[in-house]
């Protein structure tokens, strides 16, 4: 199938839809130009393939193809909530389908960087409004009345003077023959009926009765199951294996070597294919394998931090950003700080372990799985199997959590290799132990942070980072600094603090790493905001007032006011510790206040967390609340219990018995406030995470006088 | 051959008696609402009811399950209308949703045995179910609501 | 969030107590009317081993018994609180299962929801027994934190031991759950002596007068 010459009839069949219908979609030119609106007839005449769309059939049933993954962050709800607003339909009348992966058809589909809404809301609004206008035009023509006298509401076009109405289904045939309107007037925010409302999620009912299909739930006729024993040192080679005992396990069909791509290297493993997941797991236990673990360094956690901290002492690194001359100011300043913060390696540990279904058939591959980046998977599989794009179909299922790990190609690649070898559809299941011990992980980064006060004023900040760079795994040049070194830091500081520098000291070890919820902001935020808090104390200022002195723009000012008001910052009582931090990532700023006190046994507990979110234009406040509540707990675990450690090149944590997960009684109270303004939309899934830890450690400092600079720390033994 | 009674239906299964119930339900019977999360009774994603108790199907062998009354999330209610399911939807509890089959099956046992659970009762009952998305505040709220719905329903009868 | 180190420290203090207890184990005051011969039937008497009071032998035997009872395999299910302990370091059981009235857990967290009739294969998997439970709420039979003296007295106090008489106490050495301590599942250490040795020491302690070591 080439990108041109698709007939409407062909598309109807491809999409599994029938009958006359109205299609409105977007066309993403491959030259990177802005997406263009188009209808099916326009697509037909101008040879473009139209896929991301609104589809309305003659019964008035509306279908929206969602181009982004649903991994808990609410795309399945908020994408249709946007389209339905302008289309003037009720959410309950919409059917949502996941789109397949294809960059040229859908633009960027990588569900990462909290980008679903901020990256597409303007297009989605236009999409909905165009369809609505075409339906109104069709009705006006039928009635022979002026378009201005007609309006749309709840899936109907109504003639205002007479009260006559058509439901959309009655208009689609005529509307589908119209050109998309050139100038679309979008609704005013004050007129929104759906956007901005805490509407119930459309995927909730599917997730309470077991019908939502996650990757692990995908079944195909004749599908077999596979598990893979992968080298526990991640980079080792397979020397030999003895499958004789494994093949005797009832249900085991085949055992063979598999080499899966991980970044620019390959990971050796032995695949065991069976007629059930359990049989495959039993078969794998019976394998005897000899690995060659030579030729790369076997790391230990202590060694990683020793080296990183040495680098921070001895090297300046690559300059990522610099204004003024922090070194000169620091040299002259009477009051200054020079401290090191350390953050741990983290596992993503989504509740749904990695898995993928693949069916390789002669010259084509179809994949189903919990996939955050469908078009990356498509690109990669095309490259590995030397197939054109139309021969590689990538289907997204619901994701049982992703957090960055599922925006990667290794597990689909492995499934494709195994399907090819056995010539049958297969589901590759990673056990929890596989998921936890194989990485890639969030890197644990060390920071050296320096600050100077001149006449009591913050005059210089100098930040150095030493830790692995995800970009290096993907071929980024090693003489360039990590571009994310400044992530999390608030831009308004650059206005008020004249001397600021960031640098990155390259550090490489053979432990693969990848983005983890909020990426570099998750570690940067702890270091940078902790330093700001420490500088406030050096200046003998209240940390909230101190921020007012340096964050003078209107949005920051309002955010700080709200944090102060909600948390009762000024009404602190004896025996209470208050801490705050503010970070920005993915175009959203979140400020958090954490309040701690001591339990009867003297141990510290969190009384409450207040989070103020400035994400600009937003769709569903309830989803924002949920994302921030979840981000707080994920940050809390990362700060106080979670650390992936290495010993002789092996990961020491295997499952939830030694990578403990917070449970219901560990959940702190969280109150979320979303700021109202007319700024562009920012991200929501990640920005709630970074400010929590520096706010917590500041609250503990406030209560105990003890400064925590190394994570994770034990809440029971501060 | 053993008989498995799942959601009031009897399945004849030819499998090793050591196979955990989880994999028989998912891979042989084909009911996928019950989830695999850890395989070692740590996370609760695989909770089903065995004679009314919230067993972890990932460590419950077929030898124990055979001939017993098993209910999975698919069989908890006729129409997604168990009080816990109604409350979960009302409170928009799920994010990724993967753990919630198990969460709801655990909550259902709590609600059966304690029609008016306190926060402490909820903590005791739900401590075996992990949610990585951090929906715990809403789980708590939903269980209180479910208890209320259940009491109303009982009063109406 | 807590990393449960508390119970580990507790264990150390228990060990210290044990040493002191043994040092002080000169003949203690025997104050336990265990035999209560008048009420015994001929039948039950015939099933009992010979009974001869001997405080030195008794205390010596209890010293052995005690090392078993406070080993993780026994103590973990005889906690001082209402949450069992776990692992060779006797940390508080992950996910905090509660004792419940009958000792079998509460709501969705009943022991047998995870603990199967037999051990689950693999490391860090739930050990099993058809009757897995803690002592019930009205008869907690706490081992954790008890000195040898306290534990000896507690074991034979009918008000604290579930009204077990000599015969029942002796029989208890062969209780299914007691035996499970010697079949703990992969990766768990065994009690410090064999079950046969334990049973012998247990019976010796009981039948020589069930003396408690001196001390607190």
């Amino acid at each position: 199938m080439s990108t041109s010459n698709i007939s409407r009839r062909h598309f109807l069949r491809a999409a599994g839809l029938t009958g006359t219908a109205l299609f409105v979609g977007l066309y993403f030119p491959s030259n990177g130009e802005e997406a263009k609106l188009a209808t099916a007839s326009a697509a037909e005449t101008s040879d473009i393939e139209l896929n991301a769309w609104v589809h309305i059939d003659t019964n008035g049933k509306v279908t929206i193809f969602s181009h982004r993954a649903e991994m808990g962050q609410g795309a399945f709800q908020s994408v249709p909530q946007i389209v339905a607003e302008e289309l003037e339909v009720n959410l309950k009348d919409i059917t949502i389908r996941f789109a397949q992966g294809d960059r040229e058809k859908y633009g960027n589909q990588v569900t990462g960087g909290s980008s679903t809404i901020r990256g597409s809301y303007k297009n989605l609004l236009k999409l909905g409004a165009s369809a609505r206008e075409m339906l109104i035009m069709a009705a006006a023509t039928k009635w022979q009345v002026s378009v201005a006298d007609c309006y749309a509401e709840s899936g109907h076009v109504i003639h205002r003077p007479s009260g006559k109405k058509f439901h959309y289904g009655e208009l689609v045939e005529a509307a589908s023959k119209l050109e998309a309107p050139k100038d679309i007037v979008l609704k005013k925010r004050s007129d929104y009926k759906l956007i901005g409302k805490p509407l119930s999620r459309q995927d909730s009912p599917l997730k309470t009765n077991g019908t939502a299909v996650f990757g692990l739930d995908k079944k195909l006729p004749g599908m077999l199951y596979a598990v893979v024993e992968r080298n526990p040192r991640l980079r080792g080679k397979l020397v030999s294996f003895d499958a004789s005992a494994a093949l005797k396990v009832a249900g085991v069909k085949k055992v063979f070597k598999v080499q899966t791509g991980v970044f620019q290297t390959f990971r050796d493993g032995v695949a065991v294919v069976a007629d059930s997941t359990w049989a495959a797991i039993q078969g794998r236990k019976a394998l005897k394998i000899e690995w060659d673990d030579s030729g790369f360094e076997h790391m230990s956690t202590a060694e990683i931090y020793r080296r990183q901290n040495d680098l921070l002492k001895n090297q300046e690194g690559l300059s990522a950003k610099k204004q003024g001359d922090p070194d000169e100011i620091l040299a002259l300043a009477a009051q200054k700080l020079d401290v090191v913060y350390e953050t741990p390696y983290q596992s993503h540990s989504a509740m749904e372990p990695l898995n993928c279904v693949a069916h390789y058939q002669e010259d084509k591959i179809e994949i189903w799985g919990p996939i955050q980046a469908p078009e990356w998977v498509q690109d990669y599989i095309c490259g590995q199997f030397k197939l054109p794009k139309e021969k590689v179909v990538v289907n997204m299922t619901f994701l049982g959590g992703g957090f960055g790990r599922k925006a990667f190609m290794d597990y689909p690649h492995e499934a494709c290799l195994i399907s090819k070898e056995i010539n049958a559809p297969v589901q590759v299941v990673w056990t929890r132990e596989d998921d936890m011990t194989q990485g890639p992980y969030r890197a644990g980064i060390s920071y050296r942070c320096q600050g100077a006060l001149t006449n009591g004023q913050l005059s210089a900040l100098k930040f150095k980072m030493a830790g692995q760079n995800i970009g290096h795994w993907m071929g980024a040049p090693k003489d360039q600094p990590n571009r994310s070194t400044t992530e999390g830091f608030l831009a308004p500081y650059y206005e008020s603090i004249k001397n600021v520098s960031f640098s990155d000291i390259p550090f490489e070890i053979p432990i693969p790493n990848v983005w983890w919820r909020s990426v570099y902001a998750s570690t940067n935020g702890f270091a940078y905001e902790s330093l700001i808090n420490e500088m406030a104390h050096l200046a003998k200022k209240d940390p909230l007032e101190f921020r007012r002195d340096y964050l003078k723009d209107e949005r920051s000012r309002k955010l700080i006011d709200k944090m102060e008001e909600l948390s009762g910052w000024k009404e602190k009582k004896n025996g209470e510790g208050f801490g705050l931090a503010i970070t920005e990532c993915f175009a959203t700023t979140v400020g958090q206040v954490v309040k701690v006190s001591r339990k009867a046994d003297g141990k510290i507990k969190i009384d409450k967390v207040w989070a103020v979110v400035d994400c600009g234009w937003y769709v569903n406040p309830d989803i924002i609340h949920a994302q921030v509540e979840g981000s707080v707990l994920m940050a809390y675990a990362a700060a106080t219990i979670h650390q992936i450690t290495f010993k002789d090149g092996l990961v020491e944590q295997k499952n939830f018995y030694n990578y403990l997960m917070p449970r219901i009684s560990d959940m702190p109270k969280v109150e979320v406030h979303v700021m109202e303004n007319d700024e562009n939309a920012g991200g929501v899934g990640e920005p709630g995470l970074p400010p929590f830890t520096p706010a917590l450690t500041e609250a503990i400092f406030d209560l105990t006088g003890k400064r925590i600079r190394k994570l994770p720390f034990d809440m029971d033994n501060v | 051959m053993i008989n498995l009674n799942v959601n009031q239906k009897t399945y004849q299964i030819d499998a090793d008696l050591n196979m955990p119930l989880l994999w028989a339900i998912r891979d042989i019977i084909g009911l996928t609402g019950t989830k695999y999360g850890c395989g070692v009774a740590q996370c609760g994603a695989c909770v089903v009811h065995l004679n009314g108790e919230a067993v972890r199907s990932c460590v419950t062998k077929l030898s124990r399950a055979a001939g017993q009354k098993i209910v999975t999330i698919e069989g908890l209610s006729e129409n997604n209308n168990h009080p816990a399911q109604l409350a979960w939807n009302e409170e928009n509890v799920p994010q990724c949703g993967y753990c919630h089959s198990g969460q709801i099956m655990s909550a259902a046992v709590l609600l059966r045995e304690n029609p008016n659970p306190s926060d402490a009762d909820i903590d005791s009952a739900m401590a075996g179910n992990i949610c990585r998305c951090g929906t715990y505040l809403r789980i708590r709220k939903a269980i209180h609501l479910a208890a209320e719905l259940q009491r109303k329903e009982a009063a109406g009868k | 969030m807590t990393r449960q180190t508390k119970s580990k420290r507790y264990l150390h203090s228990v060990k210290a107590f044990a040493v002191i207890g043994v040092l002080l184990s000169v003949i203690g005051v025997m104050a336990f009317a265990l035999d209560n011969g008048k009420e015994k039937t001929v039948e039950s008497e015939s099933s009992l081993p010979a009974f001869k009071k001997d405080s030195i032998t008794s205390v010596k035997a209890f010293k052995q018994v005690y090392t078993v009872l406070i080993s993780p395999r026994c103590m973990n299910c005889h906690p001082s609180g209402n949450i069992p302990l776990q692992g060779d370091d006797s940390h508080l059981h992950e996910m905090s299962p509660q004792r419940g009235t009958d000792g079998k857990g509460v709501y969705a967290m009943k022991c047998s929801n995870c603990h199967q009739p037999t051990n689950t294969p693999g490391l860090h998997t739930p050990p099993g027994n058809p009757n897995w439970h803690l002592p019930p709420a009205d008869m907690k039979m706490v081992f954790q934190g008890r000195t040898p003296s306290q534990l000896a007295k507690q074991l034979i106090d009918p008000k604290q031991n579930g009204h077990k008489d000599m015969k029942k106490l002796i029989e208890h050495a062969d209780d299914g759950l007691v035996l499970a301590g010697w079949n703990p599942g992969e990766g768990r250490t065994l009690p410090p002596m064999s079950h046969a040795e334990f049973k012998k020491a247990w019976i010796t302690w009981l039948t020589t007068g069930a003396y408690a070591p001196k001390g607190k």
Side-chain angles (χ1 to χ4, degrees):
Chain A
M1 191 194 316
S2 70
T3 49
S4 61
N5 223 358
I6 179 170
S7 72
R8 189 147 139 232
R9 172 181 286 239
H10 186 120
F11 191 81
L12 288 171
R13 204 166 56 232
L17 306 165
T18 52
T20 310
L22 170 64
F23 303 95
V24 181
L26 292 167
Y27 158 57
F28 290 84
S30 47
N31 60 11
E33 276 175 26
E34 200 185 329
K36 292 178 168 60
L37 271 168
T39 60
S41 56
E44 221 172 337
T45 52
S46 60
D47 273 4
I48 53 172
E49 195 175 350
L50 178 64
N51 272 265
W53 32 13
V54 176
H55 159 258
I56 307 172
D57 73 11
T58 48
N59 296 317
K61 187 183 153 196
V62 178
T63 303
I64 294 172
F65 285 78
S66 175
H67 62 306
R68 288 298 183 100
E70 173 55 61
M71 50 189 176
Q73 88 287 21
F76 195 80
Q77 168 70 15
S78 32
V79 168
Q81 197 169 334
I82 295 171
V83 177
E85 177 70 64
E86 287 288 357
L87 186 57
E88 295 291 356
V89 290
N90 298 316
L91 260 189
K92 64 176 168 52
D93 300 330
I94 285 182
T95 302
I96 306 153
R97 293 198 190 179
F98 290 121
Q100 295 174 332
D102 192 318
R103 177 180 289 110
E104 280 157 29
K105 295 183 193 171
Y106 300 108
N108 180 0
Q109 289 176 269
V110 179
T111 310
S114 297
S115 60
T116 296
I117 301 305
R118 68 191 177 106
S120 55
Y121 76 107
K122 289 178 180 171
N123 281 332
L124 294 170
L125 288 170
K126 268 197 275 179
L127 203 73
S130 302
R132 178 196 69 214
E133 290 305 313
M134 290 162 75
L135 291 159
I136 290 175
M137 278 191 274
T141 307
K142 283 197 177 196
W143 286 321
Q144 300 282 308
V145 299
S146 157
V147 165
D149 283 338
C150 301
Y151 68 101
E153 192 178 75
S154 296
H156 292 78
V157 177
I158 300 154
H159 181 233
R160 194 177 286 106
S162 67
K164 286 186 289 195
K165 58 164 78 173
F166 281 123
H167 75 68
Y168 283 179
E170 296 171 285
L171 299 168
V172 290
E173 190 164 4
S176 69
K177 295 181 178 119
L178 298 172
E179 297 247 323
K182 294 244 159 29
D183 301 308
I184 305 156
V185 180
L186 298 179
K187 290 163 80 168
K188 285 195 295 251
R189 200 169 168 192
S190 53
D191 294 334
Y192 284 163
K193 297 169 192 153
L194 305 177
I195 293 172
K197 306 287 188 294
L199 303 177
S200 289
R201 290 175 62 143
Q202 304 294 296
D203 52 346
S204 278
L206 309 174
K207 291 171 175 177
T208 55
N209 67 3
T211 53
V213 175
F214 294 87
L216 207 63
D217 304 333
K218 182 67 194 175
K219 306 274 179 197
L220 292 175
M223 187 180 89
L224 295 172
Y225 300 86
V227 294
V228 179
E229 182 74 5
R230 305 170 188 88
N231 188 297
R233 284 198 177 81
L234 315 173
R235 296 287 287 276
K237 295 289 158 207
L238 178 67
V239 177
S240 65
F241 65 96
D242 174 359
S244 51
L247 286 164
K248 284 187 191 127
V249 172
V252 171
K253 308 275 186 197
K254 200 168 180 186
V255 179
F256 49 92
K257 177 181 174 177
V258 62
Q259 267 193 317
T260 308
V262 179
F263 297 110
Q264 295 166 347
T265 61
F266 286 86
R267 176 173 53 211
D268 280 9
V270 179
V272 179
V273 180
D275 61 6
S276 74
T277 314
W278 190 73
I281 292 170
Q282 294 308 106
R284 183 171 73 167
K285 282 184 192 161
L287 286 175
K288 289 192 192 75
I289 301 179
E290 191 190 338
W291 302 107
D292 173 7
D293 289 329
S294 63
F296 61 98
E297 202 175 1
H298 298 183
M299 298 307 302
S300 74
T301 292
E303 179 62 13
I304 292 169
Y305 290 92
R306 191 191 65 71
R307 284 191 209 170
Q308 287 184 171
N309 295 352
D310 273 0
L311 290 172
L312 290 172
K313 257 182 238 156
N314 303 321
Q315 291 193 24
E316 284 304 314
L318 304 163
S319 175
K321 185 176 177 81
K322 189 176 180 185
Q323 66 180 31
D325 192 343
D327 283 319
E328 193 188 331
I329 304 294
L330 280 160
L332 296 170
Q335 283 182 288
K336 56 192 167 189
L337 277 178
D338 182 353
V339 291
V340 170
Y341 301 98
E342 291 177 36
T343 61
Y345 277 74
Q346 295 284 306
S347 160
H348 302 76
S349 291
M351 285 308 294
E352 180 192 24
L354 295 170
N355 66 84
C356 192
V357 172
H359 191 190
Y360 185 102
Q361 290 167 286
E362 285 187 38
D363 63 344
K364 64 173 184 174
I365 302 178
E366 189 159 6
I367 295 166
W368 296 259
I371 290 168
Q372 272 180 259
E375 84 271 32
W376 285 358
V377 170
Q378 189 186 39
D379 290 347
Y380 189 79
I381 299 301
C382 287
Q384 290 296 318
F385 291 87
K386 307 277 181 283
L387 289 171
K389 282 205 169 175
E390 56 271 22
K391 297 289 185 188
V392 175
V393 179
V394 181
N395 303 283
M396 292 184 284
T397 62
F398 279 110
L399 281 73
F403 310 120
R405 175 61 179 90
K406 289 172 181 163
F408 203 45
M409 293 76 81
D410 59 335
Y411 60 104
H413 182 218
E414 199 172 57
C416 293
L417 290 167
I418 293 170
S419 176
K420 186 180 180 187
E421 178 74 26
I422 64 171
N423 197 23
V426 71
Q427 179 175 63
V428 180
V429 178
W430 292 49
T431 61
R432 174 59 55 195
E433 289 80 3
D434 297 336
D435 189 280
M436 198 171 284
T437 57
Q438 287 287 320
Y441 304 100
R442 182 193 80 174
I445 299 176
S446 302
Y447 298 84
R448 182 173 173 187
C449 301
Q450 292 168 268
L453 294 175
T454 304
N455 302 324
Q457 295 293 304
L458 193 45
S459 50
L461 292 172
K462 180 180 178 184
F463 301 109
K464 286 200 290 187
M465 164 202 273
Q468 289 197 91
N469 180 346
I470 300 165
H472 289 171
W473 289 94
M474 285 171 276
K478 291 172 187 171
D479 57 352
Q480 300 293 313
N482 185 336
R483 285 184 302 159
S484 298
T485 308
T486 58
E487 212 166 283
F489 191 71
L490 296 171
Y493 282 131
Y494 295 123
E495 297 296 316
S496 52
I497 307 165
K498 298 301 172 200
N499 304 281
V500 183
S501 71
F502 292 87
S503 64
D504 162 41
I505 310 173
F507 177 71
E508 282 190 90
I509 51 172
I511 294 166
N513 42 81
V514 75
W515 33 81
W516 181 94
R517 196 176 195 173
S518 80
V519 199
Y520 287 98
S522 73
T523 51
N524 293 359
F526 170 62
Y528 304 164
E529 278 293 282
S530 288
L531 186 76
I532 298 285
N533 282 326
E534 293 206 54
M535 293 307 293
H537 292 293
L538 189 68
K540 300 203 175 348
K541 286 272 237 173
D542 173 82
L544 187 139
E545 288 299 335
F546 190 69
R547 282 181 174 75
R548 281 204 173 107
D549 292 347
Y550 300 97
L551 299 169
K552 293 181 175 171
D553 63 300
E554 194 192 350
R555 286 179 85 174
S556 298
R557 189 170 49 73
K558 287 184 172 168
L559 188 97
I560 294 169
D561 288 350
K562 185 52 80 175
M563 290 168 74
E564 182 179 49
E565 175 202 323
L566 278 184
S567 67
W569 183 269
K570 285 180 182 154
E571 285 88 52
K572 192 179 91 169
K573 297 184 196 72
N574 274 345
E576 294 176 347
F578 274 67
L580 88 157
I582 308 169
T583 58
E584 182 274 337
C585 61
F586 311 123
T588 289
T589 301
V590 180
Q592 291 183 13
V593 176
V594 177
K595 180 183 154 198
V596 298
S597 64
R598 288 192 190 275
K599 294 186 272 195
D601 64 5
K603 289 174 183 165
I604 293 170
K605 66 175 184 353
I606 296 176
D607 295 319
K608 194 159 179 184
V609 180
W610 294 268
V612 181
V613 180
D614 182 352
C615 58
W617 188 94
Y618 63 83
V619 185
N620 189 321
D622 189 59
I623 291 177
I624 301 173
H625 283 235
Q627 286 304 298
V628 175
E629 289 161 13
S631 294
V632 163
L633 189 70
M634 196 157 174
Y636 187 20
T640 59
I641 50 177
H642 284 166
Q643 179 171 28
I644 289 290
T645 57
F646 308 92
K647 191 177 173 186
D648 186 28
L650 298 170
V651 174
E652 295 186 287
Q653 292 69 34
K654 310 279 187 225
N655 199 323
F656 297 137
Y657 49 73
N658 56 5
Y659 199 74
L660 306 182
M661 283 293 155
R663 294 175 186 272
I664 190 165
S665 58
D666 296 313
M667 181 78 204
K669 283 186 194 134
V670 183
E671 182 180 335
V672 181
H673 178 86
V674 182
M675 300 297 283
E676 298 287 340
N677 57 43
D678 291 321
E679 305 287 343
N680 282 338
V684 161
E686 300 168 89
L689 192 144
F692 172 77
T693 303
L696 171 65
T697 54
E698 172 60 21
I700 291 170
F701 178 80
D702 190 41
L703 183 71
T704 67
K706 181 148 188 220
R707 175 61 60 186
I708 292 156
R709 300 195 183 98
K710 185 177 170 62
L711 304 178
F713 67 95
D714 186 350
M715 281 285 280
D716 283 353
N717 292 295
V718 170
Chain B
M1 278 289 182
I2 56 155
N3 283 336
L4 269 192
N5 182 316
V6 182
N7 303 334
Q8 300 182 339
K9 232 174 121 177
T10 301
Y11 299 84
Q12 282 227 317
I13 296 213
D14 182 14
D16 185 342
L17 287 173
N18 287 317
M19 179 187 278
L21 176 60
L22 170 70
W23 298 115
I25 291 172
R26 289 183 53 84
D27 293 354
I28 299 175
I29 296 175
L31 291 170
T32 56
T34 306
K35 304 303 185 196
Y36 165 72
C38 70
V40 292
Q42 281 281 332
C43 78
C46 68
V47 169
V48 301
H49 294 174
L50 186 137
N51 300 331
E53 299 294 354
V55 302
R56 275 56 181 168
S57 64
C58 73
V59 290
T60 302
K61 292 175 179 177
L62 286 182
S63 54
R64 179 182 175 191
Q68 310 300 306
K69 190 177 165 235
I70 296 154
V71 176
T72 70
I73 186 72
E74 290 93 341
L76 181 65
S77 68
E78 286 280 313
N79 193 23
N80 209 358
N81 59 355
H82 182 281
Q85 291 169 314
L86 294 172
W88 246 250
N89 284 313
E90 179 63 29
E91 298 292 348
N92 277 308
V93 177
Q95 288 184 31
C96 89
Y98 193 78
C99 72
H100 288 292
S101 299
Q103 301 275 6
I104 290 169
M105 295 306 275
S106 286
V109 173
L110 167 66
L111 291 163
R112 186 189 67 216
E113 296 185 2
N114 184 342
N116 192 11
S118 65
D119 278 352
D121 295 329
I122 293 171
D123 282 357
S124 297
M126 304 303 291
N129 290 81
I130 292 171
C131 173
R132 179 66 159 153
C133 296
T135 64
Y136 295 128
L137 290 171
R138 288 164 188 243
I139 289 173
R140 184 186 304 287
K141 235 174 131 183
I143 292 175
H144 284 305
L145 175 61
E148 199 186 313
L149 294 173
Q150 190 177 254
R151 288 195 300 271
K152 278 185 188 158
E153 197 183 308
K157 268 175 192 168
Chain C
M1 254 163 276
T2 60
R3 273 176 281 177
Q4 295 154 340
T5 48
K6 183 181 125 193
S7 47
K8 198 173 174 180
R9 286 200 298 276
Y10 221 169
L11 183 65
H12 290 152
S13 62
V14 168
K15 277 178 183 159
F17 267 127
V19 173
I20 295 163
V22 170
L23 288 172
L24 295 177
S25 65
V26 277
I27 305 163
V29 181
M30 208 294 278
F32 317 112
L34 229 204
D35 46 334
N36 202 358
K38 290 168 203 162
E39 287 171 23
K40 259 182 234 147
T41 63
V42 175
E43 209 176 60
S44 70
E45 251 179 1
S46 67
S47 64
L48 286 173
F51 190 95
K52 188 184 172 212
K53 284 183 183 176
D54 175 348
S55 61
I56 294 173
T57 306
S58 186
V59 166
K60 198 175 156 194
F62 187 75
K63 177 188 147 191
Q64 288 186 293
V65 166
Y66 184 76
T67 63
V68 172
L69 301 190
I70 61 145
S71 78
R73 294 293 82 75
C74 298
M75 188 180 79
N76 283 1
C77 286
H78 291 268
S80 57
N82 285 323
I83 298 172
L85 311 175
Q86 212 178 21
D88 283 356
D89 62 355
S90 296
H91 58 268
L92 280 173
H93 194 302
E94 252 309 290
M95 73 203 79
S96 310
Q98 303 287 322
R99 182 191 304 273
T101 314
D102 59 2
K104 294 179 177 175
V106 298
Y107 310 129
M109 291 288 286
K110 303 207 175 78
C111 305
S112 61
N113 288 353
C114 300
H115 295 277
Q116 303 297 316
T118 56
N119 291 333
T120 299
L123 290 169
H124 302 280
T125 56
N129 183 278
N131 192 28
W132 197 272
H133 68 280
L134 297 184
D138 61 1
M139 198 276 289
K140 291 186 179 174
M141 189 46 76
V142 173
F143 292 179
Q144 187 189 15
R146 294 286 188 265
T147 65
S149 170
Q150 289 169 337
L151 191 49
K153 289 174 193 168
Q154 178 183 302
L155 284 164
I156 55 173
D157 177 359
K159 287 185 194 131
Q160 294 191 70
N161 76 5
H163 303 283
K164 286 190 182 66
D165 60 12
M166 171 72 93
K167 179 175 176 247
K168 291 234 173 76
L169 280 170
I170 288 173
E171 283 170 3
H172 197 66
D174 288 316
D175 175 84
L177 259 191
V178 172
L179 284 162
W182 280 268
N183 176 27
E186 287 173 48
R188 296 182 186 92
T189 56
L190 290 167
M193 66 187 72
S194 71
H195 178 258
E197 287 168 312
F198 166 73
K199 186 175 168 184
K200 193 178 160 202
W202 174 252
I203 292 171
T204 302
W205 170 59
L206 288 169
T207 56
T208 52
Y211 284 84
K214 207 175 170 184
K216 278 184 186 173

